Each structure stands twice: as C-alpha cells, then as structure tokens.
Amino acid sequence: MNALEVNGRTLAYLGDATWSLAVRKRLIQERAGIGRRLQKETIRFVSARAQAFIYEALHQAGWFSEAEEEVFRRGRNDHAGTVPKHTPQHIYRVSTGFEAILGMLELGQDAARIEALVEQAWNVIKENV
C-alpha cells in the first residue's frame, strides 16, 4: 500500500499505534519500571503535547525530509471529528501530523527511520521535559 493513497487521518491512526508500541518497547529496554511508572513514562512521549513538542523540535532542526513534511501537512490539515477536551486544537493537529509521518513510515516498512525518530524524540524529551 502506498502512503500517497491513504488519507492523513488514516496514516495518523496507524502512526499512533506505531508510536505507542515503539515508545513502550524503548521503555522496557531501558527498564523504566513496571505498572504505573511505565504508564506515566509512556505518557511523557505519547501525549498530544509531547508529540507536538517533539515534532516542533525536530522540525526546527530540519530533521524531517520533504516527503515527511508533506505527510505531516496532510495529517495536520485533515479535520478530525472531535478534539480531546483538555488539548488545544493546534496542539492536537500538530500531534496528528506527527502521527501521520509515523504511519507513512510504518506503511513503507521503514523500521530504521522509525528507530531513528524514536532516538531523536527520546533525546528531545529527556533534555526538555
């Protein structure tokens, strides 16, 4: 399946699962704890605010390719039915764009790029949050 044939919300849906799994694997590898501690650490990376923060930091550093930026815009601009109550709309939209990038990478089976993104995100969060 080609990512160009999939709409932004669908890519974000897949990217959400991809990101959550990648973060959880990394936390287990780093022996970040058990139970509640793992859940708390997971939220540091998978919340809409965290995803938006990660995207903005990596975007400013010029880390994303032009194709990834295009998919980000598609995901960000695709209208969701509802926005979570405690998340500003612009944060939610940026996080959706970030998830769309991950969905594209997952569809393309680009595990190396996903791992590189996880590594970069890990550094961003550990240094700033």
Side-chain angles (χ1 to χ4, degrees):
M1 184 177 297
N2 184 346
L4 295 175
E5 298 170 355
V6 179
N7 73 39
R9 292 289 309 153
T10 302
L11 288 174
Y13 173 77
L14 179 58
D16 178 52
T18 301
W19 184 243
S20 181
L21 181 59
V23 165
R24 289 164 196 254
K25 283 181 178 179
R26 179 70 182 254
L27 287 170
I28 290 169
Q29 288 170 350
E30 293 204 358
R31 303 187 194 295
I34 59 172
R36 280 190 212 171
R37 180 167 160 85
L38 273 175
Q39 184 61 25
K40 189 174 183 178
E41 286 295 308
T42 299
I43 291 168
R44 287 180 65 198
F45 292 89
V46 300
S47 71
R49 289 182 191 280
Q51 290 174 348
F53 185 81
I54 291 164
Y55 171 78
E56 292 296 343
L58 296 180
H59 171 74
Q60 288 178 2
W63 195 83
F64 294 108
S65 70
E66 185 53 42
E68 291 165 343
E69 291 287 359
E70 177 56 34
V71 167
F72 167 82
R73 288 187 287 275
R74 284 178 41 213
R76 179 198 62 199
N77 293 338
D78 206 341
H79 295 288
T82 59
V83 174
K85 202 187 295 188
H86 300 290
T87 305
Q89 185 173 8
H90 72 283
I91 296 291
Y92 184 73
R93 291 173 72 122
V94 170
S95 71
T96 301
F98 177 74
E99 290 171 343
I101 293 170
L102 284 147
M104 175 193 75
L105 295 174
E106 183 65 32
L107 277 181
Q109 300 179 336
D110 195 344
R113 185 67 173 164
I114 293 169
E115 183 56 37
L117 179 51
V118 170
E119 184 65 31
Q120 291 298 314
W122 214 260
N123 294 334
V124 166
I125 293 297
K126 292 290 185 180
E127 293 171 5
N128 297 290
V129 178

